[in-house]
Amino acid sequence: MKATTITTSLAALAAVAIVGASSPAAAFSACQVTDVGGIDDKGFNETAWKGVQDAKAELGIDIRFLESQAETDYEPNINAFLSEGCGIVITVGFLLGDATANAAQANPDTPFSIVDFAYDPTIPNVLGQVFATDEAAFLAGYLAAGMSESGILGTFGGINIPPVTIFMNGFVHGANYYNAQKGTNVQVLGWDVDAQEGLFTNNFESLDDGRAFAQNLFDEGADIVLPVAGPVGLGSAALADELGTDKLKIIGVDADQAVIDSEKSHVYLTSILKQMDATVLTAIKAAHGGTFEGGVTVGTLENGGVGLAPFHSFDDAIPADLKAELDAIRAGIIDGSISVKG
Amino acid sequence: MTVNDRIDKATGDLLKRAVVTRFEIEELVVVPIFAVLIALLLGGLTMVATGVDLPTIGLSYASLLQGSVGSLNAISETLTSAAPLTLAGLGIALGFRAGLFNIGAEGQLLIGGMAAAVVGFSLQGVPLVIHLPLALVAGMAAGALWASIAGWLRAATGAHEVISTIMLNLISFRLVDYLLRNPPIQRPGRSDPISKSILESSELPALLQWLDPNLRIHAGIILTLIVVFVVYWLLFRTTIGFEFRSAGANPDAARYGGMRSGLIIVSVMAVAGALAGLAGANQVLGVLGRASPGFSAGIGFDAIAVALLGRGHPVGVLFAGLLFGALEAGGRNMQVGAGVSIDLITIIQALIVVFIAAPMLVRTLFPFAFAKRGNQREGS
């Protein structure tokens, strides 16, 4: 049995080697290089990949991805796609900034688009996608402050980089805004806005860290925790699931975690959405249609690039007044009357 | 039996398989080749078990081959990945020869790379012929110093190097993280741990960028070949190399013969650390151009497998490094071409190590390859 399998696979190998060598790579392909979280991180990389998949559905193009296992993979992964003749290379993550800039400058005819990095000055063939995530995080901070029974919120990040800390800034400012409006004293543990220092797992992978950090915050009294570290937050959600949502609730990031992490959907109060799928899709469409231009695109509450996910199982638990206030603040942020910078 | 004795016995058993004391073509060549083949076959079976269809499996291995040697770019990638694995692997192999199991290459590589980065960005206005060697030497010196802590602990207190090098790895992760967050090293305007970029005068020059800007192969591969030769010469043509090998083959006899075992342990660790540090410097000066917390990327651990597969011989380590480099470069292409997860490459690498560590299993599975020596009983 084993021998036949081996023989068959060898035969298949030989056959495909011949076919594979002769198949042309003529079609337009959109290629994504992920950060170390991986393509199935239920967040950041996966959301961007959804945009690539949407492009496939809409335009019928080829799509490919490469997962980075370490930061030394960024450059060779991009190069691998360049030698495959990709029509556009999407790099996902601030940490790929250097590698993307180098590759883009060496290959000025290939369109690139990077999520979470804006070059200054801009590179003509790179479209940077950045997000005013603090606008949505502000709403989440206000909501969490209104929902907290202990009056203590918690947050922690993956690595101390701008696309992570912007969530934490907005969250803290949102909670402070609630305090200013209501005369309460809700505190946020894990992030010092003035010093720009706080709790970081220093990785975007370890679910154990996500659990341990959430446990520490819970032990300090926090009953709502915002983990900003991609899949690390799944560990926090597991803890909330075990403790029960009356003790600990989680706010998801990047995508609607209640949908993506469906087994634990009941622990997510809401999620701070960063609609990378939409911006990635737009970038691919532009490259496919020949209208691609480098520069920077900013996702905001106004253009729908960032937002707050539905409340799902907490919909009934959130008072109507609080929902109305959130709507008012949302409008205030869009018209500029409320500043999310504190 | 003390803990040290137990670790010594366990590592000793593994080392016996890693180091071939007599030249034995079967052990050196046939076992590794079959270990690689059976690992590839089992890798295929793993894909079958995870529901990958046969044509995709065929395509995967075709992509693997194509991505490792199928084009100039593929060869460039293979060599670029092979260089640090070989350098660090040489250090670990040297330890094997002297009876030391050095798990600390990862930490030595980080510390060496950090030192190279610091020299690389801080010396302004120095020409390449001086700056680059200085940065490389700084990497080697830092790695040597870091590793000799474990050597000294072994020689002075008897603390086992397996334990102390693992601990030193953990310390080095945090130390590098700390260093990268502080002003003299941290890149201005960044809040995450990342160093300033090294100056052009300390870069390992790219070799083929005039052909195609995406070819990453750099002078590190030439450096690696030189180091392979130097380590070979050191090990087999010098007194100190003889002392290293004697200490590994029979520590008691070596001591009886007047060799100072403590000094030998410290110097073996220092040389091993220097080689790992050079691997780190190679990554920083040739590939990344900066230091960041994850630049070691597990090379120090993969290098242990490389040293085992290379049977502790410098030339063997070179070939093993090339194979692992090819797997890395090809694995990337496998992911692009066939959409098979890169994790499969990790499985194949692990299987290779398993079969290297179990040569009897290979002999039993492939008796025909060993037929000529079938009636000669070997002690292994």
Side-chain angles (χ1 to χ4, degrees):
Chain A
M1 178 61 204
K2 185 171 144 193
T4 33
T5 318
I6 291 168
T7 327
T8 332
S9 47
L10 281 177
L13 189 149
V16 172
I18 298 159
V19 178
S22 60
S23 75
F28 182 92
S29 53
C31 307
Q32 173 178 334
V33 178
T34 78
D35 205 339
V36 291
I39 197 80
D40 52 355
D41 63 352
K42 299 202 189 297
F44 186 56
N45 294 299
E46 193 168 328
T47 310
W49 179 239
K50 182 177 172 291
V52 181
Q53 287 172 314
D54 290 348
K56 180 186 181 180
E58 216 167 294
L59 307 169
I61 54 172
D62 276 351
I63 57 173
R64 287 135 188 248
F65 71 84
L66 270 176
E67 292 183 288
S68 303
Q69 292 191 309
E71 58 186 88
T72 42
D73 290 341
Y74 298 157
E75 215 178 315
N77 280 351
I78 295 172
N79 283 350
F81 278 146
L82 290 171
S83 54
E84 289 282 314
C86 287
I88 181 168
V89 178
I90 315 276
T91 54
V92 184
F94 179 81
L95 296 176
L96 280 84
D98 285 359
T100 307
N102 290 343
Q105 275 152 356
N107 302 275
D109 296 333
T110 307
F112 286 81
S113 186
I114 180 165
V115 176
D116 273 353
F117 204 105
Y119 295 99
D120 185 24
T122 57
I123 304 170
N125 56 327
V126 183
L127 177 68
Q129 307 175 19
V130 289
F131 298 85
T133 329
D134 47 354
E135 296 183 354
F138 189 91
L139 294 175
Y142 190 92
L143 168 71
M147 291 298 290
S148 172
E149 280 162 28
S150 64
I152 300 176
L153 310 175
T155 185
F156 66 87
I159 296 178
N160 190 342
I161 49 177
V164 167
T165 55
I166 192 172
F167 279 91
M168 301 159 90
N169 283 334
F171 188 69
V172 173
H173 289 313
N176 288 346
Y177 185 76
Y178 182 89
N179 288 337
Q181 297 290 306
K182 308 271 175 176
T184 51
N185 186 26
V186 176
Q187 294 180 339
V188 182
L189 302 177
W191 182 238
D192 180 339
V193 170
D194 298 322
Q196 291 287 300
E197 294 279 349
L199 272 181
F200 291 94
T201 56
N202 286 321
N203 69 69
F204 288 107
E205 294 123 70
S206 169
L207 270 63
D208 288 343
D209 281 353
R211 188 188 179 88
F213 277 60
Q215 178 78 54
N216 287 346
L217 289 165
F218 174 74
D219 291 345
E220 295 295 322
D223 62 351
I224 300 174
V225 168
L226 166 72
V228 193
V232 175
L234 300 174
S236 310
L239 178 72
D241 181 41
E242 279 169 34
L243 290 171
T245 51
D246 52 329
K247 293 205 173 73
L248 182 65
K249 302 175 191 62
I250 302 295
I251 294 178
V253 292
D254 297 336
D256 188 348
Q257 296 295 330
V259 174
I260 286 193
D261 187 15
S262 53
E263 279 172 28
K264 303 201 174 60
S265 62
H266 59 284
V267 308
Y268 294 102
L269 179 60
T270 184
S271 295
I272 301 167
L273 301 176
K274 195 165 145 182
Q275 312 281 23
M276 288 160 280
D277 47 345
T279 39
V280 166
L281 174 63
T282 312
I284 295 173
K285 273 183 176 168
H288 185 249
T291 57
F292 181 87
E293 271 180 49
V296 179
T297 153
V298 184
T300 59
L301 272 182
E302 190 173 9
N303 64 22
V306 299
L308 217 51
F311 308 123
H312 297 287
S313 56
F314 288 98
D315 203 36
D316 296 336
I318 299 171
D321 291 353
L322 189 54
K323 285 182 190 166
E325 286 161 31
L326 284 174
D327 285 338
I329 294 170
R330 189 173 181 281
I333 293 171
I334 291 173
D335 70 22
S337 60
I338 296 173
S339 164
V340 297
K341 313 284 182 201
Chain B
M1 236 176 153
T2 68
V3 176
N4 265 9
D5 289 339
R6 276 185 212 154
I7 302 175
D8 266 334
K9 190 178 172 317
T11 55
D13 287 347
L14 194 50
L15 290 182
K16 262 185 220 140
R17 290 173 199 148
V19 181
V20 184
T21 44
R22 266 166 299 167
F23 185 77
E24 205 191 323
I25 194 82
E26 280 189 359
E27 281 289 311
L28 262 175
V29 180
V30 183
V31 170
I33 287 176
F34 275 91
V36 171
L37 284 180
I38 193 169
L40 287 172
L41 280 177
L42 285 177
L45 289 179
T46 311
M47 285 196 266
V48 172
T50 51
V52 181
D53 56 24
L54 283 178
T56 313
I57 295 173
L59 184 61
S60 307
Y61 283 138
S63 309
L64 182 67
L65 197 66
Q66 211 242 329
S68 50
V69 291
S71 67
L72 190 60
N73 186 45
I75 294 171
S76 154
E77 282 300 318
T78 295
L79 295 177
T80 308
S81 304
L85 287 168
T86 308
L87 287 170
L90 284 170
I92 292 167
L94 205 68
F96 286 170
R97 285 283 175 172
L100 292 172
F101 208 141
N102 168 20
I103 312 283
E106 184 83 357
Q108 294 147 20
L109 198 147
L110 273 172
I111 298 289
M114 272 304 295
V118 170
V119 174
F121 67 67
S122 46
L123 292 181
Q124 299 274 356
V126 185
L128 184 119
V129 282
I130 300 171
H131 198 175
L132 175 59
L134 266 182
L136 290 170
V137 167
M140 292 178 74
L145 212 61
W146 192 252
S148 41
I149 298 174
W152 176 77
L153 284 172
R154 173 80 202 236
T157 70
H160 205 284
E161 77 279 358
V162 168
I163 307 292
S164 55
T165 50
I166 291 174
M167 296 302 151
L168 282 168
N169 279 346
L170 298 176
I171 296 170
S172 69
F173 297 154
R174 291 290 149 249
L175 181 62
V176 164
D177 210 28
Y178 170 79
L179 290 173
L180 287 171
R181 271 168 205 286
N182 284 283
I185 294 173
Q186 190 176 35
R187 188 180 297 185
R190 291 280 288 258
S191 50
D192 55 320
I194 187 165
S195 80
K196 293 172 188 159
S197 294
I198 61 159
L199 300 168
E200 212 166 305
S201 54
S202 62
E203 273 177 23
L204 279 163
L207 296 178
L208 295 176
Q209 234 153 38
W210 48 275
L211 263 177
D212 174 351
N214 295 328
L215 291 174
R216 296 198 307 154
I217 185 172
H218 56 85
I221 191 70
I222 299 172
L223 188 71
T224 305
L225 292 175
I226 296 172
V227 172
V228 168
F229 176 77
V230 170
V231 170
Y232 179 86
W233 173 80
L234 175 83
L235 206 49
F236 296 110
R237 296 281 182 274
T238 65
T239 319
I240 190 166
F242 177 70
E243 290 188 335
F244 284 3
R245 286 183 289 133
S246 310
N250 190 338
D252 296 328
R255 202 173 302 123
Y256 189 71
M259 295 176 190
R260 287 161 298 174
S261 62
L263 193 65
I264 290 174
I265 290 172
V266 177
S267 34
V268 168
M269 284 306 290
V271 177
L275 290 165
L278 188 60
N282 173 78
Q283 287 305 86
V284 168
L285 305 174
V287 177
L288 293 164
R290 54 167 172 78
S292 47
F295 78 83
S296 55
I299 291 168
F301 296 120
D302 289 344
I304 298 172
V306 167
L308 281 169
L309 179 60
R311 315 299 270 171
H313 192 284
V315 179
V317 170
L318 175 62
F319 281 112
L322 286 171
L323 175 74
F324 271 55
L327 283 174
E328 203 172 297
R332 198 169 292 130
N333 196 52
M334 204 167 91
Q335 212 187 346
V336 187
V340 168
S341 168
I342 188 91
D343 294 334
L344 186 77
I345 290 297
T346 318
I347 294 176
I348 291 174
Q349 286 177 340
L351 286 169
I352 292 175
V353 175
V354 167
F355 288 108
I356 288 295
M360 285 308 287
L361 187 60
V362 177
R363 283 172 190 270
T364 318
L365 283 172
F366 301 98
F368 55 89
F370 300 90
K372 280 178 193 160
R373 299 178 61 91
N375 47 6
Q376 282 173 281
R377 283 275 148 244
E378 280 288 329
S380 62

